[in-house]
Amino acid sequence: MQLREDIRNIAIIAHVDHGKTTLVDQLLRYSGTFRENEQTDDRMMDSNDIERERGITILAKNTAINYNDTRINILDTPGHADFGGEVERILRMVDGVLLVVDAYEGCMPQTRFVLKKALEQKLRPVVVLNKIDRPNARPEHVVDEVLDLFIELGADDEQLEFPVVYASALNGTSGEEPEAQEESMEAVFKTIMTNIPAPIDNSSDPLQFQVTLLDYNDYLGRIGIGRVVRGSLKVGEQVTLIKKDGSTKSFRVSKIFGFLGLKRIEINEARSGDIIALAGLEDINVGETVCPSNHLDALPILHIDEPTLQMTFVTNNSPFAGREGKYITSRKIEERLMLQLETDVSLRVDPTDSPDAWIVSGRGELHLSILVENMRREGFEIQLSKPQVIIKDVDGVKCEPVEHVQVDVPEEHTGAVMESLGSRKGEMVDMVNQGNGQVRLEFKIPSRGLIGYSTEFLTQTRGYGIINHTFDSYQPVVKGKVGGRRQGVLVALENGKASTYGIMNLEDRGIIFVEPGTEVYAGMIVGEHNRDNDLTVNITKEKHLTNVRSANKDQTSTIRKTRQLSLEEAIEYLDDDEYCEVTPESIRLRKKILNKNEREKATKKK
């Protein structure tokens, strides 16, 4: 059996924030891929604005590095549970994985999720203990934790003999011992070369190429990214695409791109083991196979996780519609959602009875809110309904998604967290006292119990708690109300500008969301009520001025700090009878029925 010793294909997997993208940066720098005077940024692989602002990887991306005479193809994967669909497919393209684990935090929920997928694919692991320079780093304990996790997930003997490299990606150091750190990534490269198997060279066999990722380009249309599993492929060659439903379509390969550093390079030929991008067919999809017309042999279809959460996207019909955005018509919004489907395979868009509304389903709140954030930056105005979990029928039983939640909190806050998760139908699975004042709690909880919980959690733990959750399974629906908002809201009575006087009069009634001078309309939510009922208030009220001076002189008016909601917080905050209005400049909450009398009638009918 011949091997292609000039290539290694690896994926970097880890929990969110454990340093995958920073590690790829250092590998790129130390491999000499860039010229000495070439300008490079930190976290080079996080190429879009939202990834840079939030410091998270959203889309899986690939790069390639030349190390000595070997081309190392590296795939950087997202660490967030909402983008787990990306990780699963990536693992089909590689022969081994670099599992990055934080030397202080150890194994986290997403570490378990991504490692389980890698072990199922029989991939060879290399463990990189990152952030070894952290003051509280505990490398020996974390290696034991990783070994326990491998055993628990059913790793075979070969996988259990994993090599460990210690590194600080931020400082650009690595070594085979925690204390012996050198200012280079040589230890990581050597471990990859000796432990990750080279791909099999079967270039003389008939072609098989499977699409794993999609990209889109205005000039070339859809671009399929994947690995040549068998055979070879040339530009201009006539090949056949085997679709998911078994139908076939012939096309000519117009362009083949290879990868090096952050660039795509046009190449004329690719052989088995190469990771390439292919252009030439407009309706190519993830999981489909390209093969020669005279030898049709499809690879197994890739499994893509089903969406677990859905929201209704509605065209903006508020009194302020069209003031701030460029695109507000249903035609433009539908076009944009369809364009998103070109590259995002975990997303679903379904029409409704109304031509102005669509049901958009995704893998979680973050997945959907990133789409909304991108749309508002492009100039769209939309309204969003409260997120709902997707109920599935499993053998005639109605089932809902259940999440595995891991919480790290200071000891003094454990009671409050356990009580609030218990009230949301959470079931405690494990509790470990770390011995340094921190307690780790693990729960199984219905996904709908977590909607809107993060803000409450931060308040309960005064910002010191860390919560992580990943999709666990579908379980029979829990009866009764789970989660949801307990407080009512303050709703504006009429159109106008919020006044300082109006806000001061309302401060005893609850928390205000708008600053003085903000334009409001009747039916817009301007604050949170202290009680559980909604209250219609006059926030635009001005002080009645007379020419009589008061004895105690007018003191300078001061108002409390208002609460500004981010996009995620606003979406989580919604109730069933409310919309979140999103425009390029504002995020407003409103009632679906703006008129006070009509709203009260509808409530009575309920």
Side-chain angles (χ1 to χ4, degrees), residues 43-62:
R43 299 202 327 272
M44 294 175 250
M45 299 294 282
D46 285 348
S47 49
N48 78 37
D49 293 343
I50 299 178
E51 289 183 322
R52 292 200 151 279
E53 284 163 26
R54 301 189 183 204
I56 59 171
T57 303
I58 294 167
L59 303 167
K61 300 179 197 66
N62 45 329

Side-chain angles (χ1 to χ4, degrees), residues 19 31-32 83 122 207 268 311 316 354 390 409 468 516 567 579:
S31 65
F83 310 110
K122 299 289 178 216
L207 168 73
N268 289 321
M311 277 160 69
N316 191 5
S354 159
I390 296 172
V409 287
N468 290 290
L567 179 60
Y579 279 141

Side-chain angles (χ1 to χ4, degrees), residues 354-605:
S354 159
D356 293 340
W358 304 265
I359 292 172
V360 181
S361 314
R363 295 277 301 142
E365 286 165 78
L366 185 67
H367 184 192
L368 293 173
S369 71
I370 295 284
L371 166 63
V372 174
E373 182 63 45
N374 278 322
M375 285 176 72
R376 75 182 280 224
R377 289 181 183 203
E378 290 161 23
F380 284 87
E381 284 192 14
I382 41 175
Q383 294 184 134
L384 311 166
S385 74
K386 180 186 174 182
Q388 305 281 351
V389 297
I390 296 172
I391 306 291
K392 247 184 175 181
D393 243 17
V394 181
D395 303 330
V397 180
K398 282 192 170 176
C399 293
E400 66 177 330
V402 170
E403 308 253 342
H404 177 256
V405 178
Q406 182 173 305
V407 180
D408 288 292
V409 287
E411 275 177 34
E412 62 267 27
H413 302 308
T414 44
V417 171
M418 284 161 73
E419 187 186 345
S420 63
L421 282 172
S423 70
R424 290 166 176 266
K425 303 286 193 284
E427 184 187 318
M428 191 154 86
V429 189
D430 195 14
M431 177 176 179
V432 181
N433 194 324
Q434 309 276 36
N436 54 359
Q438 290 282 78
V439 178
R440 178 169 285 186
L441 307 167
E442 290 187 29
F443 288 85
K444 291 271 172 64
I445 181 168
S447 296
R448 60 195 163 119
L450 286 174
I451 294 175
Y453 178 62
S454 55
T455 318
E456 187 184 326
F457 174 75
L458 285 173
T459 311
Q460 282 170 347
T461 61
R462 302 201 178 165
Y464 286 108
I466 300 169
I467 184 165
N468 290 290
H469 53 92
T470 58
F471 170 72
D472 185 73
S473 58
Y474 267 91
Q475 302 286 347
V477 171
V478 178
K479 287 189 172 62
K481 190 175 190 291
V482 177
R485 194 177 74 212
R486 299 193 180 106
Q487 251 57 36
V489 286
L490 304 174
V491 186
L493 174 68
E494 57 189 18
N495 298 7
K497 283 189 176 178
S499 66
T500 309
Y501 183 67
I503 291 174
M504 282 184 76
N505 282 338
L506 295 176
E507 283 189 329
D508 297 342
R509 296 297 179 93
I511 301 164
I512 307 297
F513 293 164
V514 294
E515 298 278 347
T518 307
E519 282 202 71
V520 298
Y521 52 80
M524 181 170 148
I525 295 169
V526 292
E528 181 180 277
H529 193 194
N530 288 337
R531 305 198 175 160
D532 59 1
N533 63 316
D534 295 346
L535 187 66
T536 306
V537 296
N538 186 0
I539 199 167
T540 59
K541 187 159 123 190
E542 292 288 355
K543 187 170 186 180
H544 182 60
L545 298 175
T546 67
N547 57 357
V548 179
R549 298 196 53 185
S550 86
N552 63 351
K553 283 210 208 77
D554 282 347
Q555 284 157 342
T556 310
S557 308
T558 54
I559 57 171
R560 288 189 211 132
K561 189 163 169 45
T562 58
R563 181 167 153 201
Q564 300 292 321
L565 295 176
S566 68
L567 179 60
E568 272 94 1
E569 287 168 344
I571 291 172
E572 285 183 345
Y573 193 80
L574 289 173
D575 220 334
D576 294 331
D577 64 339
E578 294 163 6
Y579 279 141
C580 174
E581 179 191 346
V582 180
T583 72
E585 290 170 35
S586 316
I587 295 166
R588 304 184 188 97
L589 296 175
R590 55 160 282 189
K591 289 289 179 186
K592 286 183 181 177
I593 303 170
L594 296 177
N595 184 293
K596 179 181 182 241
N597 297 332
E598 285 175 23
R599 202 163 55 240
E600 284 169 358
K601 275 183 200 164
T603 313
K604 276 179 189 164
K605 268 188 191 171

Side-chain angles (χ1 to χ4, degrees), residues 314-362:
V314 186
T315 52
N316 191 5
N317 59 6
S318 87
F320 293 171
R323 283 191 182 188
E324 297 168 2
K326 283 193 290 187
Y327 309 115
I328 56 169
T329 61
S330 56
R331 185 173 66 86
K332 283 285 184 193
I333 293 170
E334 188 164 26
E335 273 175 19
R336 177 64 183 82
L337 291 173
M338 292 306 147
L339 183 68
Q340 187 68 20
L341 291 177
E342 294 279 345
T343 52
D344 191 343
V345 291
S346 305
L347 197 74
R348 304 268 183 286
V349 178
D350 300 303
T352 60
D353 301 339
S354 159
D356 293 340
W358 304 265
I359 292 172
V360 181
S361 314

